[in-house]
Amino acid sequence: MPEDLLSSTAWPLGSRQLNQLDDSLIVRLMGVGGDGVMTAGRVLTEAAALSGLEVLSEATCSAEVRGGETMYQLRVSPSTLVTAGDRVDIVVLLDHEADLAHREDLLTGDVLLYDSVHDAVPRAHPPGVVSYPVPMTQLAEAAGAAIAKNVVALGVLAELFGFSLTNIETSLRKRLAAKGGHVVASNLAALAGGARYVKEHLVKRDSFLVPVGSARDETVLLTGNEAIGLGALMAGCRFYAHYPITPATSVADWLATHLPLLGGKICAAEDGMASLGLAIGASYAGAKAMTGTSGPGFDLMQELIGYASMAEVPVVILDVQRAGPSTGLPTKYEQADLFSAVYGAHGDVPKIVLAPGDVHDCVHVTVEAFNLAERYQLPVILLSDASLALREHTIPRPDLAAIKVVDRVPFQPDQAPYSRYRFTDSGVSPMSAPGQPGGEYVATGLEHTGSAFPSDAPGTHQAMTDKRFQKLARLEDECSPVEREGPPSAAVGLVSWGSTQGAVREAVRRFDAIGMPVAALYPKVLWPLPVKALTAFARSVGQVVVVEANRQGQFADVIAASTSIRPKRVTLYRGVPLTAWDIFGRESLTH
Amino acid sequence: MPEDLLSSTAWPLGSRQLNQLDDSLIVRLMGVGGDGVMTAGRVLTEAAALSGLEVLSEATCSAEVRGGETMYQLRVSPSTLVTAGDRVDIVVLLDHEADLAHREDLLTGDVLLYDSVHDAVPRAHPPGVVSYPVPMTQLAEAAGAAIAKNVVALGVLAELFGFSLTNIETSLRKRLAAKGGHVVASNLAALAGGARYVKEHLVKRDSFLVPVGSARDETVLLTGNEAIGLGALMAGCRFYAHYPITPATSVADWLATHLPLLGGKICAAEDGMASLGLAIGASYAGAKAMTGTSGPGFDLMQELIGYASMAEVPVVILDVQRAGPSTGLPTKYEQADLFSAVYGAHGDVPKIVLAPGDVHDCVHVTVEAFNLAERYQLPVILLSDASLALREHTIPRPDLAAIKVVDRVPFQPDQAPYSRYRFTDSGVSPMSAPGQPGGEYVATGLEHTGSAFPSDAPGTHQAMTDKRFQKLARLEDECSPVEREGPPSAAVGLVSWGSTQGAVREAVRRFDAIGMPVAALYPKVLWPLPVKALTAFARSVGQVVVVEANRQGQFADVIAASTSIRPKRVTLYRGVPLTAWDIFGRESLTH
Amino acid sequence: MPTAVHARTTFSRDGDAPWCRGCGHADVFDVLCRALVASGIRPTDAVVVTGVGCSSLITFQLRSYAMHGVHGRALPLALGVKAANPDLHVVVAGGDGDAFSIGANHLIHTARKNPRLTYLIMDNQSYGMTMGQPSPTNVHGEHHALNALGVLLAAGATFVAQAASWRPDEAEALIGQALGHPGFSVVNLLSPCPTFHHGEGIDGAIGIPLVREIGSEHDLGDRLHALSVAFAEGVPCVGLLYRVERPMYALTEGSALVHEQWEETAILEALLDEHRVVWT
Amino acid sequence: MPTAVHARTTFSRDGDAPWCRGCGHADVFDVLCRALVASGIRPTDAVVVTGVGCSSLITFQLRSYAMHGVHGRALPLALGVKAANPDLHVVVAGGDGDAFSIGANHLIHTARKNPRLTYLIMDNQSYGMTMGQPSPTNVHGEHHALNALGVLLAAGATFVAQAASWRPDEAEALIGQALGHPGFSVVNLLSPCPTFHHGEGIDGAIGIPLVREIGSEHDLGDRLHALSVAFAEGVPCVGLLYRVERPMYALTEGSALVHEQWEETAILEALLDEHRVVWT
Ligand SMILES: Cc1ncc(C[n+]2csc(CCOP(=O)(O)OP(=O)(O)O)c2C)c(N)n1
Ligand SMILES: Cc1ncc(C[n+]2csc(CCOP(=O)(O)OP(=O)(O)O)c2C)c(N)n1
Ligand code: SF4
Ligand code: SF4
Ligand SMILES: [Mg+2]
Ligand SMILES: [Mg+2]
């Protein structure tokens, strides 16, 4: 590569559109299953993080175990990132099949890097796109690692754009160590081969370089699913049960290695009902417990969610949403399980629904989920999604000392006979655990008296229902994390829940850049609805617009049901995450 | 009994409160399980119906198989009835245990009839109540039918108040025929014994007599659950699957005898998931199919409800609601499954929710449920409840010729290859059945193309989701039965769904009697919400008040979510049906 | 029409029992209480987990810890309890509907995993609570009954016995042995429902039902022999069919799961270090 | 990385197959298509019902009617199809996770009821679709595998066979016999997942896995003998273990359920008459 370009460290800002007005670089790797897109993406992400950059990625694959398209997009920047970007600078194609759907994303000046094994002649792409054919497959074979074309691509990327070869090596070695010296050696050879090919055969014709990193505060790199596992452990979770289901399974994978380090246990159940049953049983016996699933498994849990609510057993239920309904699009993105989380189980069921907005939230909102479950003794549903599950993000290292962990109100043996469900002002009654003398009681889903004896007397049901709902009465005052951003008063107020947060944040920045006053609210507790925060927000803006990735406008409906707010709706349900452009570019929003 | 009283046929109207301003007589039978309260009630109901009276009853029992309290209240009248009444004229106690909770319902002039075996001295009851101790147990033993004290009570009721002994005999004979001549004989002796005891030992000291009946239009006497079974058969249902659960089981019991007469089949499954799976499979194969359950089983069905919606298989799911959540109060009344019916399955799930308001509706709304399922090829949820399930009502004989039955749009073999899910204006695509050449396709819960092939392309999901929801776009215009009553404009507009309809109707009559303009709306299709009808209604009244038997005000929330109506809420969740007095007597309503 | 007022004992509350006169479940309840006491188990350390049904009402008669769960899910709940605190004595109980109809999936998998749990199935061949519909074990006419003992044996249960509510001493002894068994022990208790059921083999209405005693001379570790007993036609057998030992489910062994904040910080910091990225 | 382009045949569409190279499911699919043709079944009269998993993707390769249901519920769906139209040939298929993990309750009850259904279980000892976690039938280390054949036999299946995807002719013959069986027939097909699984007995990675042929000289009606074969340690057996006839589930016999308006009015009027009340 020409020396003069490599020595330039400033990122050259060309004449780009508003969505490109920042100092980040975006690389998209594409291929089909088996091409190693995911691995290459993760290695590049880690390498960039090790270079002192902020990195945020977005990944998606097909439901087919083999043969489907895989995409990994990472964005690196010296400053804070909130999305992996709604543009792309550099596209790397590891397989020609993966090309078609995304070609239109490329603009003049963008880069297309592809394995020339597929095409003798460079293939058609939009005019003005800079394309680099590289014989990745041959280079991999030459390095003695036939399937390592993904690693060849990393070498090319390093050499062309200035990703640190050393850091890529570090990351590769860590991942391959277990596979033995030969594998490591041939992969490093493939890496070097890619870099060498650039030096020897390519002339850089584009204007992209990796921004320069610097020392940052203590940082960790986590996927959303790892962050949820971590949050659970920090909150004191010692039991996790699950039945495999995409995209929740990697939470179990991470916990399987890490829970035992803290003396915890993980159980693979025979179905979704069993997995929630296990968690409820463990919690009854005194452990902080969670189960994880996705939509179809979540449906199966509804009966036991009602039971946990009725028997007042704390439990956290993680639903890593995928596109539904039914089996739906198992690996794709959607936020359409809110209705079933809030309203799913039959009867009047007090429960709490939380949603993390980013990887940082995946740690902290998960801690909150356990705290609320324990504090109020009820099921807490944590709604994550396919985007958070797979994305990686460099986030500030959580400060353990600053994290508050709440335990359940314990049973105190005293003179009076224990009354498990006795009425209290807060609705919360002390909870014993088996083994404690004097604390014996029956956890039951039948309506019951204060002393847990079944009763179908009219008075009992009404009073006990009120008791159980009373627990939620003070929730918003006691704990309802909600973030607001933008000017104190604005024409438009965006409300977003879960991972649309990133796109909304980015849109707010752009509105700000063009001088449009747009504010945004990010509630983390979705149910019970933070009515005060929403009402205050609505008062501060002209029109409330709820942005969400489902068809029905589920959160907008929930808001309309319980407040006087009449929100507009931005709903998208394509199976892929919403982007800032979906919001910023929507004319109707601001008119 | 003194001749002069018996010969009077007019029902003597004393100075009673507003809730007693009508020409009906209300008898409440109470006892514990095993006392035969239910049988006696049903016999008396049938006897009164045979006497040309309108009869409406309300029954409830305890969740305990044995030992719990059972109550059967019937109201007879020469004119139309909408509830079993919120007062009581005559209370019959077959067991002293059953007394306590209801004594406060008795007013001056009311009658208390009880088995004197329990009390040597007549027990305490409110002053002014006329009480008649009868040695029912001894009389039963004397008749050679030791357990027939319930039949003795019928004899007493006949003699004291003028219920037709002949008609009671007719009804008894029909029910006992299968048990053999001896049982019939001893029961008739018990009946006669009761009547004779009145003649010989009692002096009538009250002012109640059964009103006189007359010839009526063709009438049938049905419980709500029988009416649902009947409606299903009329609609063409030929397959019913279930797993036993209170209070849905009697639908299966009725269909088990009647479905086979029409060549249909009934299947007892191993659990709730299997029962819905069976119905969906049967429907896929071309049969009109239904499954029935109650809350806990309904929870288990959510995943397959999503599947039916996604695969576009018509199916009717009956949820006979009981008080929840979880196992809750299995025999008690509540309308709290609306949320889970409307919003229960994960993802964006198009489906329809209907609720019958009375026994008449149980026939006709069930027909509609099948029609809508077939017309739109999706799951239709029919929300009945514990009150409708057990109550009996004399309703106009359904006119088969007038009942419109809708079948699914059939697949027509033609030149083009069949595309099961092809786009159409209505969203409805022709549906083939196995066995039809050229109609082969895969019914799948994965997102799919028009030709039923899986696809996770963003465009497909959005377009197919729209297609599936498109089916509901014209629902309100095509079919959305809704009744309105009361003045064309009114200060208060009550909205009620399901069986609260009776109490609301009765309250409207009373408001009318005191000159208060109160209107009411009774939608039968609850979801998709009949927005036009509700909006028009709201415009015609000052304040909309939604009356429902759950804590959260579930229908009020659904209305608030999708319309600009901000309803007030009357919510009661005692496990027993709401009464007219609960509405009429509520001050806040009209202020 | 409660049967009787239970005397207050170590495990049993006083008060009316919820069952009909003659219901086998009442006898099973008494026998269970006796067996628990005889095994030296204290109510405080015992957790009885049931599903839903007449049989499951035993929870409300007990003075121990208990979960009255949802229909068919007693086993997962119990496994969760035992995993969280292996020191507890966890007894699962419920009806044949609970065990063999809606809950049979969990039964098979629990048998396979072999946790140290005792499961008492009160088999009246019907769904008593919902008015006596025939359950999968019901023997009548065309209905092909599930050979529940056979399925348990095939699925890997390491202790399989059958007893009858009307033979309390034998039942107590078998439950006692089950409580002591290191692994998943099942006692299927024939327990008639006089109110609804008139099925074969367990119907007390026709006098004391006949049973066939298995005796103990056979090789208790011979699964095929046990199966042959389970499959034999005719009156039901009572006694211990099978008992072997094999490794117990690791998840339900070990010590109780506790969240001990003083110990965990260092471990959590180490976990964070794994994900740390440092600019070098 | 699709294995191969399937040739368009009577039962198979053309187009890419969805499975990884070497996946046993592809072979099972081919064998099924051949067996269906050999049995004289037309795609129009066949309904193949699956759950969810790699194995269940066969529905999309087929040219017959099919339901690709939800995970674990193939059997109830299939039973509904067959009950509604007993003239159809209903084949149930899917993975070991579908059959023995989430769906085992339905398996037991279907075996008990004995409807005329053929169930092909593609057993790779893992959840292929969710990345190869061990399933209940997985044989490895501490994990106690479910003896699936044993459970099927105990539960009452009347035709139980095992075949291997890498022995297609034998598999085809067994599937053919199963299709002809009057009752519930199950063929458990050992079907390796080369992408994720390295389990015992079915792993093609170590060459052609060994199996033990059962042969046909034994008494096919001897359930205990069949169980002894199922329980025998060592390499998996292939062949027909058990075949008997007993009454089939009545619900899935008879004629198709149709709603024939011209016939029903009289019957419905008679029903209404039952509930009629007339003032006399
Ligand atoms: C999910 C669900 N389905 C159905 C029911 C209704 N139900 C309650 S108990 C029961 C069966 C009881 O039978 P069994 O377990 O044998 O207990 P028994 O009453 O005979 O002792 C049923 C079907 C329920 N509570 N929950
Ligand atoms: C209710 C539910 N739980 C979990 C899943 C996730 N899931 C899909 S397929 C599968 C198991 C697949 O294993 P198997 O049935 O053996 O089929 P294979 O892929 O091995 O052929 C699981 C757990 C789901 N789709 N639905
Ligand atoms: S109904 Fe049967 S099982 Fe239930 S309590 Fe009565 S006798 Fe026992
Ligand atoms: S993952 Fe395994 S089971 Fe699934 S297609 Fe690939 S080889 Fe077959
Ligand atoms: Mg039972
Ligand atoms: Mg498998």
Side-chain angles (χ1 to χ4, degrees), chain D residues 6 54 69 105 109 125 168 195 197 233:
Chain D
H6 277 288
C54 294
N105 199 25
H109 292 287
Q125 300 187 5
T195 301
H197 177 59
E233 310 257 309

Side-chain angles (χ1 to χ4, degrees), chain B residues 342-391:
Chain B
V342 169
Y343 301 117
H346 86 279
D348 283 314
V349 182
K351 60 185 160 188
I352 293 171
V353 181
L354 297 169
D358 54 20
V359 173
H360 176 266
D361 276 359
C362 285
V363 177
H364 297 277
V365 173
T366 302
V367 172
E368 220 42 73
F370 279 91
N371 286 351
L372 293 173
E374 298 289 322
R375 183 198 296 262
Y376 299 121
Q377 300 176 14
L378 39 63
V380 173
I381 295 157
L382 189 60
L383 282 182
S384 183
D385 61 54
S387 167
L388 292 173
L390 289 180
R391 75 164 66 161

Side-chain angles (χ1 to χ4, degrees), chain D residues 67-149:
Chain D
M67 300 188 89
H68 177 257
V70 303
H71 190 36
R73 315 292 164 211
L75 282 168
L77 290 168
L79 204 60
V81 171
K82 185 76 179 167
N85 188 351
D87 298 336
L88 298 170
H89 299 276
V90 183
V91 176
V92 194
D96 49 320
D98 228 63
F100 302 128
S101 194
I102 193 169
N105 199 25
H106 310 305
L107 188 60
I108 290 174
H109 292 287
T110 312
R112 173 171 74 76
K113 291 173 176 168
N114 199 36
R116 186 174 181 136
L117 291 177
T118 296
Y119 193 2
L120 306 182
I121 303 168
M122 304 182 216
D123 185 355
N124 54 14
Q125 300 187 5
S126 63
Y127 307 135
M129 176 137 280
T130 53
M131 304 303 207
Q133 298 86 352
S135 79
T137 53
N138 194 275
V139 182
H140 76 260
E142 281 200 13
H143 188 268
H144 186 81
L146 186 74
N147 195 303
L149 298 174

Side-chain angles (χ1 to χ4, degrees), chain A residues 348 461 466 551 563 566 573, chain B residues 348 466 551 563 566 573:
Chain A
D348 283 314
H461 181 48
D466 288 343
R551 185 185 193 279
T563 67
R566 308 273 88 193
Y573 40 106
Chain B
D348 283 314
D466 287 344
R551 187 186 191 279
T563 67
R566 308 272 88 195
Y573 40 105

Side-chain angles (χ1 to χ4, degrees), chain A residues 487-510:
Chain A
S489 83
V492 172
L494 304 172
V495 173
S496 115
W497 65 276
S499 69
T500 41
Q501 171 182 303
V504 172
R505 278 198 203 284
E506 192 138 341
V508 169
R509 292 183 189 183
R510 292 192 200 154

Side-chain angles (χ1 to χ4, degrees), chain B residues 484 487-494 519 536-544:
Chain B
R484 188 192 193 288
S489 83
V492 173
L494 303 173
F537 180 69
R539 254 189 251 114
S540 77
V541 300
Q543 171 67 51
V544 171

Side-chain angles (χ1 to χ4, degrees), chain C residues 174-197:
Chain C
L174 286 167
I175 295 174
Q177 287 179 60
L179 291 171
H181 177 71
F184 187 53
S185 53
V186 184
V187 184
N188 195 58
L189 288 135
L190 306 173
S191 178
C193 167
T195 300
F196 293 117
H197 177 59

